[in-house]
Amino acid sequence: MKPQVTVITLGVRNLDTSYRFYAQALGWEPLVYVPDEVAFFQVGHGLVLSLFRGDHLAAEAGNIGHGPIAPPLTLGHNVDSPDEVDVILQTVVNAGAELIAEGTAMSWGGYSGYFADPDGFHWEVCHNPGLVVTEDGTVSLREIV
């Protein structure tokens, strides 16, 4: 098995609410939207974010851990500057997201903050000056001095 991820699926409680958040509030262009079933968004080179009804996902994949909080994971969105982190955090909060942590200078040299989407999935918005993504999608890390 190749070390790659091509689809990240979030089991959501209300597909319409989640779709509106990602498509309308964040302005992401859907690849596919089937009301009351699934939505796909291309979120990177060869990577799709899938919003799938949580009850349907549980029927296919078993208990997905939806309870009072979302499963213990975060999704990351790396940007070009600390200012961009703050702008995005404000934009998503204005669109209805919950601010989890304001943008903060991190001990490792970056800057990040967190928000939760309508289902409680946590997103880190991060400026990591050591993360390099090339045009072909290759990722490398360089030491931050």
Side-chain angles (χ1 to χ4, degrees):
M1 183 173 165
K2 289 198 241 178
Q4 73 181 38
V5 174
T6 53
V7 178
I8 297 171
T9 300
L10 303 180
V12 300
R13 290 178 274 240
N14 183 306
L15 182 62
D16 187 52
T17 298
S18 293
Y19 174 78
R20 280 195 318 270
F21 178 76
Y22 287 93
Q24 295 170 2
L26 299 186
W28 291 9
E29 185 69 32
L31 290 172
V32 172
Y33 177 52
V34 180
D36 203 39
E37 290 294 324
V38 68
F40 293 117
F41 299 89
Q42 184 165 357
V43 293
H45 182 76
L47 182 60
V48 171
L49 179 69
S50 169
L51 306 176
F52 195 55
R53 280 185 41 179
D55 57 338
H56 290 187
L57 183 59
E60 287 184 14
N63 182 0
I64 57 170
H66 248 239
I69 61 168
L73 65 92
T74 63
L75 301 164
H77 179 72
N78 201 58
V79 297
D80 293 330
S81 71
D83 288 341
E84 193 174 353
V85 169
D86 292 334
V87 167
I88 290 172
L89 288 173
Q90 187 60 57
T91 299
V92 298
V93 166
N94 291 346
E98 176 187 357
L99 182 65
I100 301 299
E102 292 183 3
T104 304
M106 307 307 281
S107 62
W108 47 267
Y111 186 87
S112 72
Y114 289 85
F115 72 89
D117 77 0
D119 279 279
F121 289 103
H122 288 202
W123 281 84
E124 177 186 23
V125 182
C126 178
H127 169 62
N128 181 342
L131 184 71
V132 179
V133 182
T134 63
E135 290 226 4
D136 72 355
T138 303
V139 177
S140 63
L141 292 173
R142 66 174 184 242
E143 187 175 338
I144 302 170
V145 182

